[in-house]
Amino acid sequence: MKIILRLAIFLILLPSQLQSRNDGETEITTEDGIEVFQNQKYYLLKKNVEIQSDSFTLYGDIVKINYDKDLYDITEIFAEGNVSLISKEYGINAKGKKIDIQISTEQIKVEGKNSKLILEDVDMYSDGIIIVKNIEGSFIVIGKNSRMVADDIDIQGENIDGTFTNDAGKRIVENINVKDKQISNIKTDDTNMFAKRAVYNKGTSIIDLYENVKIIRGAEVITGDYGKLDTKNKSYKVKSNETNKVKVLITEENE
C-alpha cells in the first residue's frame, strides 16, 4: 500500500528520546532500544514502540522490520502485542494482536481477538485473521465473529472473502462471498437475510442465498433453500428444492 512505500522511502532511525520531528522524517521511540541483526537483515524494536511519520502512526509492543540492501530498503514490517496502525491520509485504521505488512505485494494481515481493519468505507472485524492484498485486489476475513460492512451491506459469517478495484485511489468492493457452517447473516437497510452461504455482486446489485435461507422484511418472513435479492430494485424471491417447500409467515403489525 502507498503508506508502506512512504515508510520505506523516509524511514530514519532517530534516538529514542525526541521532542519533535521535522516534516518528511519518521520518528521511532522505544523503551528497550533497537537491535540490528545484519546477517539476518532485520532490526528489532522492543517495548512500547511508536513509529510516527507524516502519513501514519504505528504502535506495538514489539516491531520487527526486515530489510534487503540497507536499513531503509524495507521488505516487511511485523508488529505484535496490542498493535494499532492509523493513517488518515490513506483511510487506514487497523488494530489487532499482530499486524504483518508485506511491502512488495502491498499486503496487510491483522490477527487476534477483536481485530479490525478499516479501509476508507470498508470495515472488517474478526477474532481470527483479516488479510487485504492491495495489488491483487482481494480480501479475506476468517474466524469467529467475522464481520464486514461495505456498500450499506452488513455481512457476518465465519468466512468472508471477495475482490475490490481501485478507482481514483479509492477501493470499491466488487464481489463478496460469505459462508458459515451454522448460519451467516446479511443485512441491508430494509432486509435481514440468513443462509449458510451467500454471494454479493455489486455490478448486478444481486445477493444470492444458499441453504437454510430466511428473508425478513417488515412483517414478512420467508424461508426456503435458495433466495435472491435485488438491492437496487428492492425485490426478492425464494425457491425450494424437491423435498422442501417455501414457507411464508406474515405478521400483522400494529400501528
Side-chain angles (χ1 to χ4, degrees):
M1 299 177 183
K2 293 180 180 178
I3 176 176
I4 307 308
L5 298 178
R6 288 176 66 91
L7 175 61
I9 293 172
F10 294 119
L11 183 65
I12 298 175
L13 297 179
L14 300 177
S16 59
Q17 297 296 327
L18 285 179
Q19 298 301 317
S20 62
R21 65 178 180 84
N22 297 320
D23 291 342
E25 293 180 339
T26 295
E27 175 183 328
I28 298 176
T29 61
T30 169
E31 291 186 12
D32 279 356
I34 300 172
E35 293 183 67
V36 180
F37 299 83
Q38 292 184 338
N39 292 336
Q40 293 83 4
K41 291 189 175 182
Y42 74 88
Y43 46 97
L44 202 60
L45 315 171
K46 296 181 179 179
K47 195 174 181 181
N48 295 328
V49 180
E50 179 179 349
I51 302 176
Q52 290 191 358
S53 76
D54 294 343
S55 57
F56 76 94
T57 301
L58 174 69
Y59 299 95
D61 293 336
I62 298 176
V63 178
K64 179 183 178 183
I65 301 178
N66 295 317
Y67 63 91
D68 188 12
K69 297 177 182 179
D70 53 45
L71 297 179
Y72 308 98
D73 187 18
I74 297 171
T75 59
E76 179 184 11
I77 300 173
F78 176 77
E80 61 180 323
N82 298 317
V83 186
S84 66
L85 172 66
I86 300 171
S87 173
K88 293 182 179 179
E89 182 175 349
Y90 297 107
I92 297 175
N93 188 334
K95 183 178 180 181
K97 295 299 182 182
K98 299 178 182 179
I99 293 181
D100 187 12
I101 304 166
Q102 301 285 338
I103 306 303
S104 61
T105 59
E106 297 185 12
Q107 173 182 301
I108 182 169
K109 179 180 180 181
V110 185
E111 295 184 61
K113 190 173 182 179
N114 297 321
S115 292
K116 75 172 182 180
L117 177 56
I118 298 174
L119 298 174
E120 294 156 347
D121 297 328
V122 180
D123 299 357
M124 290 170 275
Y125 307 90
S126 181
D127 285 343
I129 299 173
I130 305 170
I131 300 174
V132 172
K133 298 180 180 180
N134 195 51
I135 293 178
E136 184 178 296
S138 66
F139 60 85
I140 185 168
V141 187
I142 302 174
K144 292 183 178 180
N145 299 315
S146 291
R147 181 186 177 196
M148 180 175 185
V149 182
D151 292 336
D152 297 322
I153 296 178
D154 190 334
I155 298 175
Q156 298 183 56
E158 65 182 0
N159 192 316
I160 305 169
D161 66 78
T163 61
F164 63 89
T165 58
N166 281 294
D167 185 6
K170 184 176 181 179
R171 300 173 187 85
I172 299 175
V173 174
E174 296 292 337
N175 299 281
I176 303 175
N177 306 295
V178 57
K179 58 184 178 181
D180 194 301
K181 291 190 294 290
Q182 300 301 318
I183 203 74
S184 60
N185 180 216
I186 305 96
K187 296 178 182 177
T188 64
D189 57 348
D190 62 352
T191 308
N192 194 5
M193 294 159 279
F194 299 87
K196 283 192 173 183
R197 183 169 69 91
V199 178
Y200 167 64
N201 186 303
K202 181 178 176 62
T204 61
S205 302
I206 297 297
I207 300 175
D208 290 297
L209 307 162
Y210 303 90
E211 294 186 69
N212 295 348
V213 174
K214 178 188 288 187
I215 296 179
I216 303 172
R217 176 181 286 175
E220 301 174 356
V221 179
I222 302 179
T223 60
D225 300 302
Y226 168 77
K228 183 175 184 179
L229 175 74
D230 189 325
T231 60
K232 185 177 181 180
N233 297 327
K234 304 293 184 180
S235 62
Y236 66 90
K237 64 180 180 180
V238 177
K239 296 181 179 180
S240 68
N241 57 30
E242 295 180 356
T243 59
N244 294 322
K245 295 181 179 180
V246 174
K247 181 179 180 180
V248 180
L249 176 63
I250 301 177
T251 303
E252 182 178 354
E253 293 183 330
N254 295 323
E255 296 183 357

